Amino acid sequence: MRGVAVAAIALTSVMTMAACAKDSGGGTTSNTGSGAACEFAEAPSAPATSNTSAANGDKVDASALKIGLAYDIGGRGDASFNDSAAAGLDKAIADMGVKKENTRELSAAPSEDESAKQTRLRQLASEGFSPIIGVGFAYAESMKLVAAEFPNVKFGLVDSAVDGAANVTPLVFAEQEGSFLAGVIAAYQSKKCHVGFVGGVEIPLIQKFEAGYVQGAKAAAPKIQVEKKYITPAGDFTGFQDAPKGQEAAKGQIDKGADVIYQAAGASGKGIFSAAKQGGVLAIGVDSDQYNQATVADTKDVIVSSMLKRVDVAVYDFVKAVAKNDLASLPKVFDLKVDGVGYATSGGKIDAKLQGILEGYKAQIIEGKIKVADKP
């Protein structure tokens, strides 16, 4: 589909309904749950050309840099958030001449205290690494302290900012915008117009995923039913690393009739995918293109898409900006406009018609015709 995007869709009261889910993968009537396929709002048309910004293709030599990555719990191999950061480092090594021996990767331990994070950051700074990237908001308090001790070291902080710290660059995302598109995908893939969301920990960051997802699902199908569940409350971060509890949470939603589950739960997502496979439903991954992650290969057939939170892009662009001594070139927020968030099409479950619909919604968000909420 081509042509300019249609006028903004009223997200809370859409009266014009399109034909049913048979057009894009969700079109049969089920005997369980809510039973009927969705009736869809009139979808915006895909733009004739992409609205995303073009990548800067200039060659940069970063071979002199020593780069440190301080991962959140799970580290490299979590098939999600940390792996996306690792991919950004790997690309910097491949593209910018960063020497593998001049990189260091350290990971947080489950339930560690603040002093452990401080020690990790101090170790990297003391050994001459700069830039140092803290992968996750959990490093915010420690980085505030350590960055002041090492004013000549450049720090990057994923998902948070440190007020007053001139040597700390925030790398933050519009997760709600990518999650809106995940909600549209869920609506079009559901056979029962009944979907679910499982968050790892009930904190404002993960609530951004929930808010966008619910808004997107209801923009596409105003009468859709959405289940919501967090594995642990705020303050208990084990929700990001407990696959059995993730599986239990997803199973509860499946038992209620949800047939597409979106997860924003870190390493707990492995259990959510397992529940989806056992329950014969579909799932939407998060952060990385999880269909292609080796650690969840046994359940990839249920992964219809992933909401891409491009931590890899942020890490790569931050390293590049440091090498060029041009941190001002970085976007304030990695959003849809700069390809900071998006959706994956691996696995072949997103057909051309649905992709056109997604691009239409994406264009309207970029143009400001749809404002995506960042709170439920």
Side-chain angles (χ1 to χ4, degrees):
M1 290 183 290
R2 302 180 68 84
V4 295
V6 297
I9 293 175
L11 299 177
T12 57
S13 181
V14 181
M15 300 302 295
T16 305
M17 302 299 177
C20 284
K22 63 182 180 180
D23 290 332
S24 292
T28 59
T29 300
S30 171
N31 293 322
T32 60
S34 52
C38 287
E39 293 181 327
F40 296 117
E42 183 177 354
S45 299
T49 58
S50 173
N51 286 310
T52 56
S53 59
N56 188 347
D58 57 318
K59 292 290 291 182
V60 173
D61 181 6
S63 59
L65 296 182
K66 293 183 66 177
I67 304 170
L69 252 66
Y71 291 119
D72 206 343
I73 52 176
R76 184 188 280 263
D78 73 341
S80 186
F81 184 73
N82 291 299
D83 267 356
S84 187
L89 176 62
D90 292 344
K91 183 171 172 59
I93 292 170
D95 291 357
M96 290 187 278
V98 174
K99 299 172 183 175
K100 179 68 175 175
E101 61 269 24
N102 284 344
T103 66
R104 179 74 57 82
E105 301 175 46
L106 302 175
S107 296
S111 303
E112 69 180 14
D113 59 26
E114 202 65 35
S115 65
K117 293 180 176 61
Q118 295 171 17
T119 298
R120 187 173 304 115
L121 295 173
R122 271 195 203 97
Q123 176 186 343
L124 291 168
S126 298
E127 293 177 1
F129 289 92
S130 181
I132 296 168
I133 302 161
V135 185
F137 66 90
Y139 282 99
E141 289 302 316
S142 294
M143 193 168 284
K144 182 177 182 179
L145 179 64
V146 176
E149 298 172 5
F150 296 89
N152 295 322
V153 173
K154 292 182 171 65
F155 294 86
L157 179 58
V158 176
D159 281 347
S160 193
V162 177
D163 292 338
N167 59 331
V168 178
T169 299
L171 304 172
V172 295
F173 299 82
E175 294 92 349
Q176 70 276 13
E177 292 184 358
S179 296
F180 181 103
L181 299 179
V184 175
I185 291 169
Y188 276 89
Q189 292 291 330
S190 177
K191 296 180 178 179
K192 298 183 284 185
C193 211
H194 193 165
V195 301
F197 169 81
V198 178
V201 182
E202 193 168 9
I203 53 176
L205 173 63
I206 306 304
Q207 288 175 326
K208 290 169 72 177
F209 292 81
E210 176 198 340
Y213 178 69
V214 173
Q215 186 178 345
K218 291 188 174 181
K223 295 181 180 179
I224 197 167
Q225 185 173 349
V226 186
E227 304 290 339
K228 293 164 281 186
K229 173 73 175 178
Y230 287 88
I231 297 171
T232 55
D236 180 0
F237 292 99
T238 62
F240 291 129
Q241 54 175 333
D242 196 327
K245 284 187 178 178
Q247 184 167 359
E248 179 183 354
K251 185 179 184 301
Q253 296 187 350
I254 294 165
D255 288 346
K256 290 179 180 179
D259 63 356
V260 184
I261 310 292
Y262 175 42
Q263 64 93 2
S268 299
K270 297 176 184 179
I272 295 164
F273 293 148
S274 294
K277 184 163 186 174
Q278 292 175 12
V281 303
L282 296 173
I284 299 173
V286 74
D287 297 335
S288 301
D289 185 353
Q290 295 197 289
Y291 182 89
N292 291 321
Q293 290 285 349
T295 54
V296 292
D298 59 333
T299 55
K300 73 177 186 178
D301 54 310
V302 305
I303 302 175
V304 66
S305 181
S306 296
M307 194 288 280
L308 301 178
K309 178 177 174 176
R310 301 301 302 272
V311 181
D312 58 331
V313 170
V315 168
Y316 180 87
D317 285 358
F318 176 60
V319 171
K320 187 174 185 178
V322 171
K324 294 171 61 179
N325 195 28
D326 186 18
L327 291 172
S329 65
L330 291 170
K332 297 297 183 185
V333 178
F334 287 87
D335 57 12
L336 280 175
K337 187 174 183 179
V338 298
D339 292 324
V341 293
Y343 62 95
T345 59
S346 299
K349 293 184 175 67
I350 306 293
D351 63 19
K353 184 176 179 65
L354 178 52
Q355 190 164 2
I357 291 168
L358 292 167
E359 290 301 308
Y361 279 113
K362 178 179 175 179
Q364 291 207 337
I365 293 169
I366 290 171
E367 293 165 11
K369 294 178 179 178
I370 293 177
K371 302 290 188 182
V372 185
D374 62 3
K375 295 180 179 63

